[in-house]
Amino acid sequence: MAAASPTKKLKVAHRNQPRNPTIFAPFRTLGLVSPTPVPFTALPLGKTTFQITTSVGQCLHTYDLRRGLNLLFITRPQTPALITASVAWKERVLAAWGGEGGLQEPGVWIFQRGRKCGELEIPNHLREPFKQLIVFGSWIVGRCLTRIEVWKSANYEHYTTITPSISNGSTEATLSGGVCNMPTFLNKVLVGKRDGSVDIWNVNTGKLIYTMSPPDLFSGAVTSIQPTTAISLVAIARIGGSICIHDIQTDRTIMKLNTQSCHNTNITSISFRTDGHGAGEDGHSSGLMATAGNGGSDVTIWDLHKGGQAVGVLHGAHNPPSSVHGGVAGGISKVEFLPGQDVMVTSGLDNALKTWIFDAHSLAPVPRILHSRSGHAAPVTVLSFLPTNSEGADATGKWILSAGKDHSLWGWSIRKDGQSGELSQGAIRKKAKKLGLLGAGLGIDSSASLDDLKAPEIICFAYSMNRDGGMGAAPAAGGIWANVGSKKGASDGSGSGLTGWESIVTGHRGDKYARTWFWGRKRAGRWAFETTDGTEVTSVAVSSCGTFALIGSAGGSISMFNLQSGLLRQRFPAPLNPAQAKKMKLEQLDSSPLSANTPCFKPGTGKHRKAVTGLLVDPLNRKVISCGIEGKVKFWDFHSGVLQDEIDWSPMVAITAARYYRPSDLIAFSCDDLSIRVIDLETKKLVRELWGCLGQINDFCFSNDGRWIIAASMDSVIRVWDLPTTHLINAFQVESPCTALAFSETGEYLATAHADSVGINLWNNRTLFAHVPTRKIGDEEIMPATLPTTSGERGQGLLSAILDETNKGMAGEDDFLVDQSTPDIDTINNDLLTLSLIPKARWQTLLHLQTIKARNKPTEPPKGPKKAPFFLPSLSNSIQESTALSNGISRSSKDEHALSRFSRPNFSSSTRSEFTTHLGAFAKQQQHRDPEPILASLSTLAPSAADSAIRTLADVEEMTAFVQALTVRLRQRRDYELIQTWMSVFLRCHGDVVVGQDDEDEEGKEALRQSLRDWRQEQGREGKRLDELVGYCSGVAGWLRSTR
């Protein structure tokens, strides 16, 4: 059988198994509060505060109400599957997970202060998810789709299984409306079913006590069930929005509420106020009820006195659900009054958790907002790290700016989660009240979201913090986003000149206005800049000085505005005055065919014919660079607005985006042919083309040092190219397409946003603290990667990534994939001069060993104290011994050069015998003499041992063999600095033997001298060649650095 080719790559098994990328390690996820339909759970902590726990997928977040919903705990470890239900109980939180689709066994874990402290025993063959958990008395009850599981809360042991049935005998999804326990009813639970009936079960005996039938045959399935503040009364909601108050002792409906006027969806959450206030004519009676549904955005407040009536509707508590796939998530998952408090808590699918308070002396039945904790309600589309802010340079890399499909602009703090927040767009709720969306009337259609009153979806933004005034920036006294394009005269910017002005400019989908924002004040700015041709904004840019904002439109126009005054300052191309227009017309009439073919950019010409997709300004405000869909890159003069040069890639290529790396003046363009082209701003030449993406390029960026370009495409792969070599050095596939990415200026983090998530994922740059191979890879080596998590469990911090042993496994796997034909030092081209792998300190110590020994010798013998304390032993004997030792050292130092080298004691007999054995074998070789054993043995010795081995060479024959071995090694052009060191030590130790005139063994000495002549000739030849190479390289480098 033929041998395998040395260039064949070995494939690693389990290629589809997710693993960490080579360069980036998952760290954690930002921006998740309550993105799942799992309801929150609240628990009183003493008499001062409440802890509210939400689900964010596979872990739980616990917030402290007293501290303004400050994040306290994140549970670890993560559950093996998505959490389906949770409940808080006695400082513990129970989380049910798994079972979806019947493919995985479910489980229930118990957490305390964020750490797992136990789990419930799950019965065999259970393949249903838990939809609800409740704890009462000594029982833990979990509701599945068709059965109810019961555990003992004392030891977490499984007690029994209850299997209700419906009237038609079907067992498929029998349970639909949840379970609850009634106060004062021992061991009893109420179970809502799909046929509209409610069962009462005794969990201790596992027997059915009673079944309450639906009020009529047309009643739908039970959607929610909740006990009231009155004994034996329970509120039952069914499909269609009907709610009835039922007495379970008499099986009689006490009250039936008509919800059609205020709810267009099913009621899925009911809660009662328990502090004894809010209801009745004077507002000091109990009986206040709140209802909400996962299909709407409103919370209805009911007064159950005098037959029950809706007294108010909290419109727009959360976003309504979007009918568009991938749009803004919405709907209320749960509403709950905190026990004994006038505070109501709501959570929604819009990734928000809110608390509302009822004012004691207010006549308004609708509560006001108390606290809010939220994030993006739709996937993030634009992402960037802010370089710095008004707090100074220490904040570099601390903040992330993001925009999503939910019409919001957010600032995220990497260091402290509580500092993150949305940039305000003004009094949205106040504006909604003026439009009637948040009025007290119950007949208003509230299907419109508050997000509809915000600015349209942000598709691009630009920023510069050099003029940002921080919290002291001048407020927008004249209102936010004033359209100054139609105003005549200059605007007063004296106030902002002292305190700073806006630092962020955004472009919006389908809107012809670009809007400004204050970053320091975290709010909307004063100006809304209109495009000069009236078409929508497609790209924006801000100059490095922070004074000018540039707006590109879908019609190809480019306008420049002053951020301080809000006035239009320039157009690209600049409009012609009458004299320039007349002169240009005459030149066109007089132009010859030869001059017509010569490129010439006249004032007023060069406008983009199609949408402007990228705008850039150089750091010195000399050039403006623009690119468009038509495939052209244009270079404009910043001050005059005249086109200076252009690069035409049309009609084969359309440019979709541009990124600028200022330190190197490199500009990268993403094109519709799935390539990234890089040009040099100084020479205006194409310098690199990067290929490899198999789908549309969603976003890309430079690394902080400009060496890499990272790109995300629609094939769900994130690729990293090495810019100097154009090699693809890393690529990993994620679960869903990456829609936006950014690289921090400190080089620590890569931030990514994905199409199926509202969070922002952070990845650590492993090259900062570990050696990472950056070789060229192929498409077959793209591996699936595990995304970061909000708990950071799968991620790696800077220290953990260094110490984590899994990195070694990753490195081993990468080495296993490395091309087996990669040459090592022994197979490098013989024309190259190589250095040794010996540490520099070792051979430098050997070269200066005598100096080091002389420096370390004691200058004088130690002296004893004049008067020692009585309790210390006498040191006279020790002093005498030390004095004698010192005298011996001095005497041996004086007689060192007088001793013959052949009569010196053998300091290392074992080393000398091994070393001389290799020397003897080398001397006997006549052809193909190999010095490797000699030099390998000598290179492994410590500096002092190597010095002794060279110093104690026994006779002239060993010296000759040693010099010849060094000459052969020098001829091989290897270990250059080590060979020079050994020869220097040899000549220093045995120079007198070489030049001596002793008649004994004159023939051997002549052979030694001839070997040294051969060494000197080889050394001169190699030194001359090395000088020529160094001179040539230094000359080329000097020419490249010169300005000529």
Side-chain angles (χ1 to χ4, degrees), residues 261-262 298 311-315 366 436-446:
S261 60
C262 52
D298 304 336
V311 294
V313 177
L314 179 59
H315 290 290
V366 178
L437 295 178
L438 300 183
L442 303 180
I444 297 176
D445 181 13
S446 61

Side-chain angles (χ1 to χ4, degrees), residues 474-686:
I480 65 170
W481 295 334
N483 182 12
V484 301
S486 60
K487 294 183 179 180
K488 296 182 180 180
S491 299
D492 184 13
S494 58
S496 61
L498 299 175
T499 61
W501 49 82
E502 295 91 332
S503 54
I504 302 174
V505 179
T506 57
H508 303 261
R509 186 178 304 278
D511 193 6
K512 63 180 180 180
Y513 293 102
R515 291 165 170 83
T516 61
W517 306 74
F518 289 99
W519 166 249
R521 299 177 63 88
K522 302 294 189 298
R523 57 169 298 176
R526 300 167 293 170
W527 317 125
F529 300 132
E530 183 180 2
T531 56
T532 54
D533 58 0
T535 58
E536 64 178 292
V537 177
T538 55
S539 59
V540 294
V542 177
S543 61
S544 298
C545 62
T547 305
F548 301 99
L550 287 85
I551 314 299
S553 70
S557 68
I558 302 174
S559 308
M560 183 171 68
F561 295 86
N562 188 292
L563 283 172
Q564 181 181 8
S565 63
L567 296 179
L568 178 65
R569 290 303 185 190
Q570 187 59 272
R571 297 181 183 180
F572 302 89
L576 299 177
N577 55 41
Q580 290 176 333
K582 183 177 181 180
K583 181 179 179 181
M584 182 178 177
K585 187 175 181 180
L586 294 175
E587 290 178 352
Q588 290 177 351
L589 295 175
D590 297 339
S591 60
S592 61
L594 180 60
S595 61
N597 296 330
T598 304
C600 182
F601 305 106
K602 296 181 175 59
T605 62
K607 178 183 176 181
H608 286 277
R609 300 190 307 271
K610 296 183 180 179
V612 179
T613 55
L615 279 175
L616 306 166
V617 183
D618 74 323
L620 300 179
N621 288 356
R622 296 180 303 177
K623 300 177 182 177
V624 174
I625 302 95
S626 63
C627 61
I629 290 293
E630 74 271 20
K632 292 183 179 181
V633 181
K634 297 179 181 291
F635 303 88
W636 309 84
D637 182 77
F638 182 88
H639 301 283
S640 64
V642 177
L643 182 63
Q644 296 179 334
D645 201 351
E646 73 174 9
I647 299 176
D648 191 357
W649 293 332
S650 62
M652 304 303 297
V653 173
I655 304 175
T656 58
R659 300 291 182 269
Y660 184 27
Y661 183 68
R662 286 187 171 91
S664 298
D665 271 347
L666 295 178
I667 307 175
F669 301 93
S670 62
C671 306
D672 63 349
D673 60 351
L674 310 183
S675 69
I676 297 177
R677 291 172 165 84
V678 183
I679 67 171
D680 184 2
L681 179 59
E682 187 67 25
T683 62
K684 301 180 181 60
K685 301 294 183 182
L686 179 66

Side-chain angles (χ1 to χ4, degrees), residues 184-257:
T184 72
F185 283 71
L186 186 63
N187 302 330
K188 306 299 188 299
V189 293
L190 277 67
V191 182
K193 298 190 297 184
R194 186 161 55 89
D195 60 357
S197 62
V198 177
D199 288 349
I200 304 176
W201 290 81
N202 188 319
V203 296
N204 187 24
T205 61
K207 294 182 179 180
L208 176 64
I209 303 300
Y210 187 77
T211 298
M212 295 182 292
S213 302
D216 53 63
L217 297 177
F218 303 100
S219 297
V222 177
T223 57
S224 181
I225 183 171
Q226 183 70 22
T228 68
T229 54
I231 297 177
S232 75
L233 296 184
V234 62
I236 304 173
R238 292 180 172 85
I239 289 180
S242 64
I243 301 177
C244 64
I245 307 300
H246 200 85
D247 188 346
I248 63 174
Q249 287 186 337
T250 61
D251 191 13
R252 185 169 59 92
T253 299
I254 303 299
M255 186 184 307
K256 190 172 183 180
L257 305 178

Side-chain angles (χ1 to χ4, degrees), residues 250-270:
T250 61
D251 191 13
R252 185 169 59 92
T253 299
I254 303 299
M255 186 184 307
K256 190 172 183 180
L257 305 178
N258 181 17
T259 63
Q260 296 297 328
S261 60
C262 52
H263 279 290
N264 296 327
T265 60
N266 298 323
I267 303 300
T268 57
S269 180
I270 303 174

